Amino acid sequence: GVDFIVNISASPFHEGRREDRAEYIRHRVRETGIPFYYCNLVGAQDELIFDGNSLAVNAHGRFMGIGAGFQEDLLIIQPDNRAVDAIPELDRESQLIEALVLGTGDYFRKTGHREAVIGLSGGIDSSLVAAIAVEALGKDRVHGVSLPSLISSEHSRSDARALAENLGIDYREIPIADAVQSYGDLLQSSFEGTEPGVAEENIQARIRGNLLMALANKYGWLVLTTGNKTELALGYCTLYGDMSGGLAVISDLSKSDVYALSRTINKRVGKTIIPESCITKPPSAELSPGQVDPFDYAIVSPLVDAIVEDHKSVSALIRSGFKPDLVRDVYRRIRLNEYKRRQAAPGLRVSPKAFGVGRRIPIINHFDGEYHET
């Protein structure tokens, strides 16, 4: 005796979720022959983003109404609504951008923050975060800070400046060479007899983190961190340095997706927002002379996703064509760097499995799931 089903839902977004929901609803309609009205929440709550995309399906499994994504919408459904057999395909990268814009904006609104500050390195990650922040908050509420050291290249400084000009945001430059030298002087006797290495490199990142936090404390801004999922997985980030902040906007995007979304942003607006040189130059932390990131992201990013999101085993990944030494090294890095991720800022989830509350791995009991076949 049921005339129709209304499902008031809070189903969080991740890539492909819209299509999964549509197929699940149609499956239920085929089982029951009862129209199904699916009304989904819009907004964000901490790490979760709720995308709307509500659906109305008639008794024949055809779509009578399709709600907007990532914004509130009103659908008026009549029995004679013209129905369609499929929901329209949407651009993947555009959906991810809209999700991150909604997640960022809602995080600020619901925590009472108004303005963001971002360390602009001239690289692709900070450029993408700045572009998303401007779309979410408005250009007058985003502050970009370049923090060059003696090692920083001129193109990094010019790219950061060009990005800020393209976005129309407040931009300032705070050189850190003197601070780095002061730290070196303070530690000289303690470091005596050792070779310069990671400890000295990370001092630069931590000075930058301290300065960004000082600005945030002074003006009530929120620091946005700029690390991506591939870097967080491998531990290629500095605790109390570039990991310092209140929200990790792109922490669930692989490095490959960072490039894809950056190109999409430029394409969507029909002009260069993120400078082309930010997209094409070799990625580098610029913490030592001539440094470039030690990974081939075209290979490593899909491998990280296969491990974290798809739970693939070492043997399965080797059979699929990845080099055995690389697979074992990436597995080891992901396991060893759990302690860093425990101290990271909350991140916005856009994949089926994000780091954070949805993925907790023990740190000190030597948990090792790499050989479990899946």
Side-chain angles (χ1 to χ4, degrees):
V2 174
D3 294 317
F4 54 84
I5 297 170
V6 177
N7 177 218
I8 302 174
S9 180
S11 174
F13 168 82
H14 64 68
E15 182 187 347
R17 194 65 175 269
R18 173 176 174 266
E19 290 72 22
D20 291 343
R21 292 190 203 115
E23 183 53 38
Y24 183 81
I25 291 168
R26 294 184 78 176
H27 176 72
R28 290 299 174 207
V29 170
R30 285 193 291 267
E31 285 183 336
T32 63
I34 300 171
F36 199 112
Y37 303 133
Y38 173 82
C39 182
N40 194 35
L41 180 66
V42 178
Q45 181 73 33
D46 296 348
E47 299 177 337
L48 299 179
I49 300 164
F50 300 94
D51 57 303
N53 280 308
S54 299
L55 297 168
V57 181
N58 67 18
H60 305 290
R62 305 186 76 204
F63 297 100
M64 296 186 292
I66 302 168
F70 309 103
Q71 59 181 301
E72 293 184 4
D73 194 13
L74 176 64
L75 296 179
I76 306 298
I77 305 300
Q78 302 289 351
D80 58 350
N81 265 37
R82 185 175 181 180
V84 296
D85 289 321
I87 59 176
E89 292 186 12
L90 299 177
D91 178 72
R92 172 183 176 273
E93 284 73 30
S94 292
Q95 283 193 83
L96 291 175
I97 291 169
E98 290 174 18
L100 294 174
V101 168
L102 175 60
T104 301
D106 252 23
Y107 193 87
F108 273 73
R109 285 185 286 272
K110 293 176 181 179
T111 59
H113 288 88
R114 290 177 53 83
E115 300 182 42
V117 60
I118 305 162
L120 298 182
S121 67
I124 188 70
D125 297 304
S126 60
S127 298
L128 178 59
V129 171
I132 290 169
V134 166
E135 192 165 339
L137 307 173
K139 63 182 181 180
D140 295 335
R141 296 184 180 181
V142 179
H143 308 271
V145 184
S146 173
L147 300 148
S149 70
L150 288 176
I151 295 168
S152 300
S153 61
E154 181 54 39
H155 67 75
S156 293
R157 300 170 73 168
S158 61
D159 285 343
R161 191 179 305 109
L163 172 78
E165 291 174 355
N166 292 345
L167 291 171
I169 64 175
D170 169 48
Y171 175 76
R172 58 194 72 188
E173 187 173 291
I174 305 176
I176 65 168
D178 290 345
V180 174
Q181 182 62 50
S182 295
Y183 270 70
D185 293 342
L186 289 168
L187 292 166
Q188 185 173 6
S189 60
S190 298
F191 283 4
E192 189 173 359
T194 67
E195 291 295 321
V198 173
E200 287 81 1
E201 293 176 13
N202 285 342
I203 285 171
Q204 298 169 74
R206 292 190 173 114
I207 289 171
R208 292 180 174 121
N210 280 336
L211 292 172
L212 290 173
M213 289 304 300
L215 290 168
N217 289 162
K218 175 60 73 174
Y219 298 111
W221 301 341
L222 187 71
V223 178
L224 300 182
T225 67
T226 60
N228 61 66
K229 190 174 191 175
T230 308
E231 293 170 344
L232 284 170
L234 301 175
Y236 198 61
C237 45
T238 304
L239 271 176
Y240 325 121
D242 59 320
M243 293 179 69
S244 296
L247 180 65
V249 175
I250 61 169
S251 63
D252 201 29
L253 287 184
S254 71
K255 189 72 171 185
S256 300
D257 279 336
V258 170
Y259 284 106
L261 266 62
S262 296
R263 293 191 181 280
T264 299
I265 282 177
N266 286 347
K267 183 178 179 181
R268 276 172 32 139
V269 299
K271 63 179 181 179
T272 299
I273 295 295
I274 298 176
E276 185 64 22
S277 54
C278 292
I279 299 173
T280 57
K281 67 186 176 186
S284 170
E286 290 197 330
L287 297 178
S288 62
Q291 184 183 56
V292 294
D293 289 5
F295 310 108
D296 183 343
Y297 287 114
I299 297 173
V300 172
S301 282
L303 178 55
V304 167
D305 291 345
I307 294 169
V308 175
E309 297 176 16
D310 302 329
H311 312 291
K312 295 291 185 181
S313 68
V314 167
S315 54
L317 291 167
I318 293 172
R319 286 197 304 270
S320 68
F322 289 104
K323 293 182 178 180
D325 288 346
L326 176 64
V327 173
R328 293 190 174 93
D329 180 56
V330 170
Y331 250 110
R332 180 185 63 85
R333 289 174 185 265
I334 293 174
R335 177 171 57 83
L336 292 178
N337 286 288
E338 178 67 17
Y339 78 99
K340 284 189 178 182
R341 295 188 292 270
R342 290 283 184 94
Q343 301 176 69
L348 300 174
R349 176 193 170 203
V350 293
S351 77
K353 180 63 69 174
F355 292 126
V357 295
R359 185 187 186 276
R360 288 297 195 205
I361 302 297
I363 295 171
I364 62 171
N365 72 346
H366 305 292
F367 172 85
D368 191 350
E370 64 179 78
Y371 295 105
H372 292 273
E373 189 68 55
T374 59

